[in-house]
Amino acid sequence: MSTSIDALRKRYEAAGQGHVFHFWPKLSETERAALVKQLESLDIERVNHIYQNAIRAEKEANDPNAKAEPIEPLPEEASDSVVGVPHKEKEWRSIGLQAIARGEVGVLLMAGGQGTRLGSSAPKGCYDIGLPSHKSLFQYQAERIARLQQVAEKECGKAAGSVVIPWYVMTSGPTRRETEDFFKKHSYFGLDPKNVVIFEQGTLPCLTMEGKVMLDSPSRIAVAPDGNGGLYAATRQPLSPSDPSHTVLSDLQKRKIGYVHAYCVDNCLVKVADPVFIGYCIQKQVDCAAKVVPKAHPSESVGVVARRGNKFGVVEYSEITKEQAEKRDPKTGELSFRAGNIANHFYTTKFLNQVESFEHQLAFHIARKKIPYVDFESAQVVKPSKPNGMKLEMFVFDVFPFTQQFAVLEVARDEEFSPLKNAPGTGADDPDTSRRDLLAQHRRFLERAGAKVKEGVEIEISPLVSYAGEGLESVKGKTFTRSGSVSALEELDALA
């Protein structure tokens, strides 16, 4: 062990991070083994490179003398909308369903977050927003996949059970175990376990303001997840130590998946593997695309998809002047910068495989935080009262500037976006607003199918009955007077 320890120590010292061995003489054999395992799995030179890159990018961004690239709205040819154009939506849906029926579509779910702000330490996907059925977010999304597989079979003339949309679920260190247990406990919500691939995003060490690796115990480095942009590196990591060649990317290749839909777990209205979005992207022949919702008002604090110089990207609301935010398109009267980013993306598998070639050019974002650490003198854990270190994160949209063919699809907020961010009772983006938005959508499904729903009546329609309002023709002319949750079409009769 000693020779490898010497080599490891030399490597860390050469990287200016030798202090991680500070407590070595006092550690037990078990603690030493744990520390060595952590240090060996860490690419310390990469950590230094990421830190320097992040500091440099931040400095450049804040340099008052630097010539900032102009921020411009999206060019007309790069965006389209599903709102108010049923013929286009129908055409895109058909293209998307055909691709799903051919087995060319996979789904990547970003589910690394815990429900800490919701007062729960469980993975966010396990959360129950208070629907009559008490289904979790994970269950809703699984059932949408199951239903869409059936819709594609039926509309494209495929045998029952033959269409598969594989689901790649990205967890994080703190949520992986619980996510796996939750899926097993619920029998994968009716999906075949071999088509649900659970993997983990990476972590990065927490650093002091000077870029030194922090320890949160004498034998452990403090780490934090590397942001939702860690998705790209995570798709290249072995899915299990026993088979280093099996990764998410190799799995996509083996299944001949050409198109991938990626989204965040906390949106109860998400159309998983949305055939309309996929069909739009296939028709436009893009390698990457973003689904967006129109900004509610000029000062809404949401990042927008726009052009910076000649590249696409997400521009944070703090980077847009009041004048730009209020600017309107003279032809339509809509806000010029209105493409609100909702972390809902399309990629070709080919593009996901290319990310590695330019990833070193991407700068991580610095989040300065209060990070508990071990004091070298007293060996006690200190809980700081003000930010004392940094966590480095990459965002999933950081790859946009590197795309060759990029497009944006605008969708209706009330049909597709209701994020769960805040504690119950906050009044915005909380469990109550998620529940309200989902039940309001189900009311619209019934009304569009020709039914009436009495004031105050709440009906929850299982995703297994309808993915996006289809298949409800039999309710035409009915009036629903009772609230309830239905898991099969015939159960609706009892509520009329």
Side-chain angles (χ1 to χ4, degrees), residues 57-116:
E58 189 182 61
K59 210 167 156 189
E60 283 169 9
N62 295 333
D63 180 358
N65 304 318
K67 191 177 178 315
E69 290 191 284
I71 292 170
E72 289 161 352
L74 290 169
E76 212 169 297
E77 70 279 3
S79 73
D80 214 320
S81 174
V82 296
V83 185
V85 276
H87 64 285
K88 277 191 192 173
E89 189 174 352
K90 202 172 162 197
E91 185 185 351
W92 294 330
R93 181 177 178 275
S94 167
I95 296 169
L97 277 179
Q98 294 289 346
I100 289 169
R102 289 193 300 269
E104 294 169 3
V105 175
V107 172
L108 266 175
L109 164 59
M110 294 171 270
Q114 290 168 286
T116 341

Short mmCIF file of all heavy atoms in Angstrom, two decimals, residues 57-116:
data_model
loop_
_atom_site.label_atom_id
_atom_site.label_comp_id
_atom_site.label_asym_id
_atom_site.label_seq_id
_atom_site.Cartn_x
_atom_site.Cartn_y
_atom_site.Cartn_z
N ALA A 57 -13.52 32.56 -16.51
CA ALA A 57 -14.78 32.90 -17.20
C ALA A 57 -15.57 33.93 -16.39
O ALA A 57 -16.15 34.86 -16.95
CB ALA A 57 -15.62 31.65 -17.39
N GLU A 58 -15.55 33.77 -15.07
CA GLU A 58 -16.29 34.71 -14.22
C GLU A 58 -15.67 36.10 -14.31
O GLU A 58 -16.37 37.11 -14.39
CB GLU A 58 -16.27 34.20 -12.77
CG GLU A 58 -17.19 34.98 -11.86
CD GLU A 58 -17.12 34.49 -10.41
OE1 GLU A 58 -16.03 34.55 -9.80
OE2 GLU A 58 -18.16 34.06 -9.90
N LYS A 59 -14.35 36.13 -14.33
CA LYS A 59 -13.63 37.41 -14.41
C LYS A 59 -13.94 38.12 -15.73
O LYS A 59 -14.23 39.31 -15.77
CB LYS A 59 -12.12 37.12 -14.31
CG LYS A 59 -11.33 38.24 -13.69
CD LYS A 59 -9.93 37.74 -13.35
CE LYS A 59 -8.98 38.91 -13.30
NZ LYS A 59 -7.59 38.46 -13.18
N GLU A 60 -13.90 37.32 -16.80
CA GLU A 60 -14.19 37.90 -18.13
C GLU A 60 -15.62 38.43 -18.19
O GLU A 60 -15.89 39.50 -18.72
CB GLU A 60 -13.99 36.84 -19.23
CG GLU A 60 -12.52 36.59 -19.55
CD GLU A 60 -12.31 35.36 -20.44
OE1 GLU A 60 -13.30 34.79 -20.94
OE2 GLU A 60 -11.13 34.97 -20.61
N ALA A 61 -16.54 37.66 -17.60
CA ALA A 61 -17.94 38.07 -17.63
C ALA A 61 -18.17 39.36 -16.85
O ALA A 61 -19.05 40.16 -17.17
CB ALA A 61 -18.82 36.96 -17.06
N ASN A 62 -17.35 39.57 -15.81
CA ASN A 62 -17.53 40.76 -14.96
C ASN A 62 -16.62 41.93 -15.34
O ASN A 62 -16.62 42.96 -14.67
CB ASN A 62 -17.27 40.41 -13.48
CG ASN A 62 -18.32 39.42 -12.98
OD1 ASN A 62 -19.42 39.39 -13.49
ND2 ASN A 62 -17.95 38.60 -12.01
N ASP A 63 -15.83 41.74 -16.40
CA ASP A 63 -14.87 42.79 -16.79
C ASP A 63 -15.62 43.93 -17.48
O ASP A 63 -16.17 43.76 -18.57
CB ASP A 63 -13.82 42.17 -17.73
CG ASP A 63 -12.79 43.20 -18.17
OD1 ASP A 63 -12.92 44.38 -17.77
OD2 ASP A 63 -11.87 42.84 -18.91
N PRO A 64 -15.62 45.11 -16.85
CA PRO A 64 -16.38 46.23 -17.45
C PRO A 64 -15.79 46.69 -18.77
O PRO A 64 -16.48 47.28 -19.61
CB PRO A 64 -16.28 47.34 -16.39
CG PRO A 64 -15.12 46.98 -15.52
CD PRO A 64 -14.94 45.49 -15.60
N ASN A 65 -14.49 46.42 -19.00
CA ASN A 65 -13.85 46.88 -20.25
C ASN A 65 -13.98 45.87 -21.39
O ASN A 65 -13.66 46.19 -22.53
CB ASN A 65 -12.36 47.16 -20.00
CG ASN A 65 -12.18 48.16 -18.88
OD1 ASN A 65 -12.91 49.15 -18.80
ND2 ASN A 65 -11.22 47.90 -17.98
N ALA A 66 -14.38 44.66 -21.04
CA ALA A 66 -14.47 43.64 -22.09
C ALA A 66 -15.64 43.97 -23.01
O ALA A 66 -16.67 44.45 -22.56
CB ALA A 66 -14.68 42.27 -21.47
N LYS A 67 -15.43 43.70 -24.30
CA LYS A 67 -16.50 43.98 -25.26
C LYS A 67 -17.49 42.81 -25.21
O LYS A 67 -17.18 41.70 -25.61
CB LYS A 67 -15.89 44.10 -26.66
CG LYS A 67 -16.88 44.65 -27.68
CD LYS A 67 -16.20 44.83 -29.04
CE LYS A 67 -17.18 45.33 -30.10
NZ LYS A 67 -18.47 44.69 -30.14
N ALA A 68 -18.64 43.09 -24.63
CA ALA A 68 -19.64 42.02 -24.49
C ALA A 68 -20.26 41.72 -25.85
O ALA A 68 -20.49 42.62 -26.65
CB ALA A 68 -20.71 42.46 -23.51
N GLU A 69 -20.49 40.42 -26.08
CA GLU A 69 -21.14 40.05 -27.34
C GLU A 69 -22.60 40.49 -27.26
O GLU A 69 -23.24 40.35 -26.22
CB GLU A 69 -21.05 38.54 -27.53
CG GLU A 69 -19.64 38.09 -27.83
CD GLU A 69 -19.62 36.63 -28.28
OE1 GLU A 69 -19.75 35.77 -27.41
OE2 GLU A 69 -19.48 36.39 -29.49
N PRO A 70 -23.12 41.02 -28.35
CA PRO A 70 -24.50 41.50 -28.29
C PRO A 70 -25.49 40.36 -28.04
O PRO A 70 -25.30 39.25 -28.54
CB PRO A 70 -24.73 42.11 -29.68
CG PRO A 70 -23.69 41.49 -30.56
CD PRO A 70 -22.52 41.18 -29.67
N ILE A 71 -26.50 40.65 -27.23
CA ILE A 71 -27.54 39.65 -26.96
C ILE A 71 -28.74 39.99 -27.85
O ILE A 71 -29.22 41.12 -27.84
CB ILE A 71 -27.93 39.68 -25.47
CG1 ILE A 71 -26.75 39.17 -24.63
CG2 ILE A 71 -29.16 38.84 -25.20
CD1 ILE A 71 -26.91 39.36 -23.14
N GLU A 72 -29.15 39.02 -28.64
CA GLU A 72 -30.24 39.27 -29.59
C GLU A 72 -31.33 38.21 -29.46
O GLU A 72 -31.04 37.07 -29.08
CB GLU A 72 -29.70 39.23 -31.04
CG GLU A 72 -28.82 40.41 -31.37
CD GLU A 72 -27.93 40.15 -32.58
OE1 GLU A 72 -27.90 38.99 -33.04
OE2 GLU A 72 -27.29 41.11 -33.03
N PRO A 73 -32.57 38.58 -29.81
CA PRO A 73 -33.65 37.58 -29.76
C PRO A 73 -33.39 36.44 -30.75
O PRO A 73 -32.54 36.57 -31.64
CB PRO A 73 -34.89 38.37 -30.16
CG PRO A 73 -34.52 39.81 -30.08
CD PRO A 73 -33.05 39.89 -30.27
N LEU A 74 -34.13 35.38 -30.63
CA LEU A 74 -33.98 34.24 -31.54
C LEU A 74 -34.36 34.64 -32.96
O LEU A 74 -35.36 35.34 -33.15
CB LEU A 74 -34.92 33.10 -31.11
CG LEU A 74 -34.56 32.39 -29.82
CD1 LEU A 74 -35.71 31.49 -29.39
CD2 LEU A 74 -33.30 31.56 -30.00
N PRO A 75 -33.59 34.19 -33.96
CA PRO A 75 -34.01 34.46 -35.33
C PRO A 75 -35.30 33.69 -35.65
O PRO A 75 -35.53 32.61 -35.09
CB PRO A 75 -32.84 33.93 -36.17
CG PRO A 75 -32.04 33.08 -35.28
CD PRO A 75 -32.33 33.46 -33.87
N GLU A 76 -36.11 34.27 -36.50
CA GLU A 76 -37.42 33.69 -36.79
C GLU A 76 -37.35 32.23 -37.25
O GLU A 76 -38.14 31.39 -36.83
CB GLU A 76 -38.09 34.53 -37.89
CG GLU A 76 -39.60 34.58 -37.75
CD GLU A 76 -40.21 35.62 -38.68
OE1 GLU A 76 -39.90 36.83 -38.51
OE2 GLU A 76 -40.96 35.21 -39.57
N GLU A 77 -36.34 31.92 -38.09
CA GLU A 77 -36.29 30.56 -38.66
C GLU A 77 -35.88 29.50 -37.63
O GLU A 77 -36.01 28.31 -37.87
CB GLU A 77 -35.36 30.52 -39.88
CG GLU A 77 -33.87 30.68 -39.59
CD GLU A 77 -33.43 32.15 -39.39
OE1 GLU A 77 -34.30 33.07 -39.42
OE2 GLU A 77 -32.23 32.37 -39.20
N ALA A 78 -35.38 29.95 -36.46
CA ALA A 78 -34.91 28.98 -35.47
C ALA A 78 -35.98 28.61 -34.46
O ALA A 78 -35.75 27.81 -33.57
CB ALA A 78 -33.70 29.53 -34.74
N SER A 79 -37.18 29.22 -34.57
CA SER A 79 -38.18 28.86 -33.57
C SER A 79 -39.56 28.72 -34.20
O SER A 79 -39.84 29.29 -35.25
CB SER A 79 -38.20 29.88 -32.44
OG SER A 79 -38.79 31.07 -32.87
N ASP A 80 -40.38 27.94 -33.52
CA ASP A 80 -41.74 27.74 -33.97
C ASP A 80 -42.60 27.53 -32.73
O ASP A 80 -42.07 27.43 -31.63
CB ASP A 80 -41.83 26.53 -34.90
CG ASP A 80 -42.88 26.75 -35.99
OD1 ASP A 80 -43.95 27.32 -35.68
OD2 ASP A 80 -42.64 26.34 -37.14
N SER A 81 -43.91 27.45 -32.92
CA SER A 81 -44.80 27.32 -31.77
C SER A 81 -45.87 26.28 -32.05
O SER A 81 -46.28 26.11 -33.19
CB SER A 81 -45.46 28.67 -31.49
OG SER A 81 -46.43 28.53 -30.48
N VAL A 82 -46.30 25.57 -31.00
CA VAL A 82 -47.42 24.64 -31.20
C VAL A 82 -48.74 25.34 -30.93
O VAL A 82 -49.80 24.81 -31.18
CB VAL A 82 -47.35 23.40 -30.26
CG1 VAL A 82 -46.14 22.56 -30.54
CG2 VAL A 82 -47.39 23.81 -28.80
N VAL A 83 -48.65 26.55 -30.38
CA VAL A 83 -49.87 27.24 -29.95
C VAL A 83 -50.65 27.76 -31.16
O VAL A 83 -50.13 28.53 -31.96
CB VAL A 83 -49.53 28.39 -28.97
CG1 VAL A 83 -50.79 29.02 -28.43
CG2 VAL A 83 -48.67 27.86 -27.82
N GLY A 84 -51.89 27.30 -31.27
CA GLY A 84 -52.77 27.81 -32.33
C GLY A 84 -52.47 27.33 -33.73
O GLY A 84 -52.93 27.91 -34.70
N VAL A 85 -51.65 26.26 -33.88
CA VAL A 85 -51.40 25.72 -35.23
C VAL A 85 -51.64 24.20 -35.22
O VAL A 85 -50.70 23.42 -35.29
CB VAL A 85 -49.97 26.04 -35.74
CG1 VAL A 85 -49.89 27.40 -36.35
CG2 VAL A 85 -48.93 25.90 -34.62
N PRO A 86 -52.91 23.79 -35.12
CA PRO A 86 -53.21 22.36 -34.99
C PRO A 86 -52.69 21.50 -36.14
O PRO A 86 -52.28 20.37 -35.93
CB PRO A 86 -54.74 22.30 -34.91
CG PRO A 86 -55.23 23.66 -35.25
CD PRO A 86 -54.12 24.62 -35.06
N HIS A 87 -52.66 22.08 -37.38
CA HIS A 87 -52.20 21.26 -38.51
C HIS A 87 -50.72 20.91 -38.39
O HIS A 87 -50.29 19.80 -38.66
CB HIS A 87 -52.49 21.96 -39.85
CG HIS A 87 -51.75 23.25 -40.03
ND1 HIS A 87 -52.11 24.41 -39.36
CD2 HIS A 87 -50.65 23.57 -40.77
CE1 HIS A 87 -51.27 25.38 -39.71
NE2 HIS A 87 -50.38 24.90 -40.55
N LYS A 88 -49.92 21.90 -37.93
CA LYS A 88 -48.48 21.64 -37.74
C LYS A 88 -48.28 20.62 -36.62
O LYS A 88 -47.49 19.70 -36.73
CB LYS A 88 -47.76 22.94 -37.34
CG LYS A 88 -47.40 23.83 -38.50
CD LYS A 88 -46.46 24.90 -37.98
CE LYS A 88 -46.25 26.01 -38.97
NZ LYS A 88 -45.48 27.12 -38.39
N GLU A 89 -49.03 20.84 -35.53
CA GLU A 89 -48.90 19.95 -34.37
C GLU A 89 -49.21 18.50 -34.78
O GLU A 89 -48.52 17.57 -34.38
CB GLU A 89 -49.86 20.41 -33.26
CG GLU A 89 -49.63 19.69 -31.95
CD GLU A 89 -50.48 20.24 -30.81
OE1 GLU A 89 -51.15 21.28 -30.96
OE2 GLU A 89 -50.47 19.60 -29.75
N LYS A 90 -50.22 18.33 -35.60
CA LYS A 90 -50.63 17.00 -36.06
C LYS A 90 -49.52 16.34 -36.89
O LYS A 90 -49.22 15.16 -36.73
CB LYS A 90 -51.92 17.15 -36.89
CG LYS A 90 -52.72 15.89 -36.99
CD LYS A 90 -54.06 16.17 -37.67
CE LYS A 90 -54.64 14.84 -38.16
NZ LYS A 90 -55.69 15.01 -39.14
N GLU A 91 -48.93 17.16 -37.77
CA GLU A 91 -47.86 16.64 -38.64
C GLU A 91 -46.64 16.23 -37.80
O GLU A 91 -46.09 15.14 -37.98
CB GLU A 91 -47.47 17.75 -39.63
CG GLU A 91 -46.46 17.30 -40.67
CD GLU A 91 -45.98 18.44 -41.57
OE1 GLU A 91 -46.57 19.55 -41.50
OE2 GLU A 91 -45.03 18.23 -42.33
N TRP A 92 -46.23 17.10 -36.87
CA TRP A 92 -45.07 16.78 -36.02
C TRP A 92 -45.35 15.55 -35.17
O TRP A 92 -44.51 14.69 -35.01
CB TRP A 92 -44.73 17.97 -35.11
CG TRP A 92 -44.23 19.18 -35.85
CD1 TRP A 92 -43.55 19.19 -37.03
CD2 TRP A 92 -44.39 20.55 -35.46
NE1 TRP A 92 -43.27 20.50 -37.40
CE2 TRP A 92 -43.78 21.35 -36.46
CE3 TRP A 92 -45.00 21.19 -34.36
CZ2 TRP A 92 -43.74 22.74 -36.39
CZ3 TRP A 92 -44.96 22.57 -34.29
CH2 TRP A 92 -44.34 23.34 -35.30
N ARG A 93 -46.58 15.47 -34.63
CA ARG A 93 -46.94 14.34 -33.77
C ARG A 93 -46.80 13.02 -34.54
O ARG A 93 -46.29 12.02 -34.03
CB ARG A 93 -48.37 14.51 -33.25
CG ARG A 93 -48.85 13.40 -32.32
CD ARG A 93 -50.26 13.71 -31.80
NE ARG A 93 -50.76 12.64 -30.95
CZ ARG A 93 -51.38 11.56 -31.40
NH1 ARG A 93 -51.57 11.42 -32.71
NH2 ARG A 93 -51.81 10.63 -30.57
N SER A 94 -47.25 13.05 -35.78
CA SER A 94 -47.20 11.84 -36.61
C SER A 94 -45.74 11.42 -36.86
O SER A 94 -45.38 10.24 -36.74
CB SER A 94 -47.93 12.11 -37.92
OG SER A 94 -47.65 11.11 -38.83
N ILE A 95 -44.87 12.39 -37.17
CA ILE A 95 -43.44 12.09 -37.40
C ILE A 95 -42.82 11.51 -36.12
O ILE A 95 -42.08 10.52 -36.15
CB ILE A 95 -42.66 13.37 -37.84
CG1 ILE A 95 -43.18 13.88 -39.19
CG2 ILE A 95 -41.16 13.11 -37.92
CD1 ILE A 95 -42.67 15.27 -39.58
N GLY A 96 -43.15 12.14 -34.99
CA GLY A 96 -42.60 11.70 -33.70
C GLY A 96 -43.07 10.30 -33.33
O GLY A 96 -42.28 9.45 -32.88
N LEU A 97 -44.38 10.03 -33.53
CA LEU A 97 -44.91 8.70 -33.19
C LEU A 97 -44.27 7.61 -34.05
O LEU A 97 -44.00 6.51 -33.58
CB LEU A 97 -46.44 8.66 -33.37
CG LEU A 97 -47.28 9.20 -32.20
CD1 LEU A 97 -48.76 9.10 -32.54
CD2 LEU A 97 -46.99 8.47 -30.88
N GLN A 98 -44.04 7.93 -35.33
CA GLN A 98 -43.38 6.94 -36.21
C GLN A 98 -42.00 6.60 -35.68
O GLN A 98 -41.60 5.43 -35.65
CB GLN A 98 -43.26 7.49 -37.65
CG GLN A 98 -44.57 7.72 -38.38
CD GLN A 98 -45.26 6.42 -38.78
OE1 GLN A 98 -44.68 5.35 -38.76
NE2 GLN A 98 -46.54 6.52 -39.14
N ALA A 99 -41.25 7.63 -35.25
CA ALA A 99 -39.89 7.39 -34.70
C ALA A 99 -39.97 6.56 -33.43
O ALA A 99 -39.15 5.66 -33.20
CB ALA A 99 -39.20 8.73 -34.43
N ILE A 100 -40.98 6.84 -32.59
CA ILE A 100 -41.16 6.07 -31.35
C ILE A 100 -41.49 4.61 -31.71
O ILE A 100 -40.93 3.67 -31.14
CB ILE A 100 -42.28 6.70 -30.48
CG1 ILE A 100 -41.78 8.03 -29.87
CG2 ILE A 100 -42.73 5.74 -29.37
CD1 ILE A 100 -42.87 8.88 -29.21
N ALA A 101 -42.37 4.44 -32.68
CA ALA A 101 -42.79 3.08 -33.10
C ALA A 101 -41.61 2.29 -33.67
O ALA A 101 -41.55 1.07 -33.55
CB ALA A 101 -43.91 3.17 -34.11
N ARG A 102 -40.67 3.00 -34.29
CA ARG A 102 -39.48 2.32 -34.84
C ARG A 102 -38.44 2.02 -33.75
O ARG A 102 -37.37 1.48 -34.03
CB ARG A 102 -38.83 3.19 -35.93
CG ARG A 102 -39.62 3.28 -37.22
CD ARG A 102 -38.79 3.88 -38.36
NE ARG A 102 -38.32 5.22 -38.08
CZ ARG A 102 -38.98 6.34 -38.40
NH1 ARG A 102 -40.14 6.27 -39.02
NH2 ARG A 102 -38.47 7.53 -38.12
N GLY A 103 -38.72 2.47 -32.51
CA GLY A 103 -37.78 2.22 -31.42
C GLY A 103 -36.57 3.13 -31.44
O GLY A 103 -35.49 2.76 -30.98
N GLU A 104 -36.75 4.36 -31.98
CA GLU A 104 -35.59 5.26 -32.12
C GLU A 104 -35.53 6.35 -31.05
O GLU A 104 -34.67 7.22 -31.11
CB GLU A 104 -35.65 5.95 -33.50
CG GLU A 104 -35.45 4.98 -34.64
CD GLU A 104 -35.76 5.60 -36.01
OE1 GLU A 104 -36.07 6.77 -36.09
OE2 GLU A 104 -35.69 4.90 -36.99
N VAL A 105 -36.48 6.32 -30.08
CA VAL A 105 -36.56 7.42 -29.11
C VAL A 105 -36.29 6.93 -27.69
O VAL A 105 -36.87 5.94 -27.25
CB VAL A 105 -37.95 8.10 -29.19
CG1 VAL A 105 -38.09 9.18 -28.11
CG2 VAL A 105 -38.17 8.71 -30.58
N GLY A 106 -35.40 7.63 -26.99
CA GLY A 106 -35.13 7.34 -25.58
C GLY A 106 -35.36 8.59 -24.75
O GLY A 106 -35.49 9.70 -25.29
N VAL A 107 -35.43 8.41 -23.43
CA VAL A 107 -35.72 9.52 -22.54
C VAL A 107 -34.66 9.60 -21.44
O VAL A 107 -34.31 8.58 -20.85
CB VAL A 107 -37.11 9.33 -21.90
CG1 VAL A 107 -37.35 10.38 -20.84
CG2 VAL A 107 -38.20 9.41 -22.94
N LEU A 108 -34.16 10.82 -21.20
CA LEU A 108 -33.18 11.06 -20.13
C LEU A 108 -33.84 11.93 -19.07
O LEU A 108 -34.23 13.07 -19.36
CB LEU A 108 -31.98 11.82 -20.69
CG LEU A 108 -30.76 11.05 -21.17
CD1 LEU A 108 -29.78 12.03 -21.80
CD2 LEU A 108 -30.08 10.28 -20.07
N LEU A 109 -33.95 11.43 -17.87
CA LEU A 109 -34.58 12.18 -16.80
C LEU A 109 -33.52 12.69 -15.82
O LEU A 109 -32.72 11.91 -15.32
CB LEU A 109 -35.57 11.28 -16.06
CG LEU A 109 -36.04 11.74 -14.68
CD1 LEU A 109 -36.73 13.09 -14.74
CD2 LEU A 109 -36.98 10.72 -14.06
N MET A 110 -33.52 13.99 -15.57
CA MET A 110 -32.61 14.56 -14.56
C MET A 110 -33.34 14.56 -13.22
O MET A 110 -34.25 15.35 -13.00
CB MET A 110 -32.21 15.97 -14.98
CG MET A 110 -31.37 15.98 -16.25
SD MET A 110 -31.10 17.66 -16.89
CE MET A 110 -32.51 17.85 -17.96
N ALA A 111 -32.94 13.61 -12.35
CA ALA A 111 -33.67 13.43 -11.09
C ALA A 111 -32.71 13.36 -9.90
O ALA A 111 -32.90 12.58 -8.99
CB ALA A 111 -34.52 12.17 -11.17
N GLY A 112 -31.67 14.20 -9.95
CA GLY A 112 -30.66 14.14 -8.88
C GLY A 112 -31.04 14.90 -7.62
O GLY A 112 -30.44 14.73 -6.58
N GLY A 113 -32.08 15.76 -7.71
CA GLY A 113 -32.38 16.66 -6.60
C GLY A 113 -33.18 16.01 -5.48
O GLY A 113 -33.97 15.10 -5.72
N GLN A 114 -32.95 16.51 -4.27
CA GLN A 114 -33.76 16.09 -3.13
C GLN A 114 -34.85 17.13 -2.91
O GLN A 114 -34.71 18.27 -3.32
CB GLN A 114 -32.90 16.01 -1.87
CG GLN A 114 -31.91 14.85 -1.89
CD GLN A 114 -30.89 14.98 -0.77
OE1 GLN A 114 -29.99 15.81 -0.84
NE2 GLN A 114 -31.01 14.17 0.25
N GLY A 115 -35.90 16.74 -2.23
CA GLY A 115 -37.00 17.69 -1.99
C GLY A 115 -36.76 18.53 -0.75
O GLY A 115 -37.68 18.82 0.00
N THR A 116 -35.51 18.96 -0.55
CA THR A 116 -35.17 19.69 0.68
C THR A 116 -36.05 20.91 0.90
O THR A 116 -36.56 21.12 1.99
CB THR A 116 -33.69 20.15 0.64
OG1 THR A 116 -33.01 19.37 -0.34
CG2 THR A 116 -33.00 19.93 1.97
#
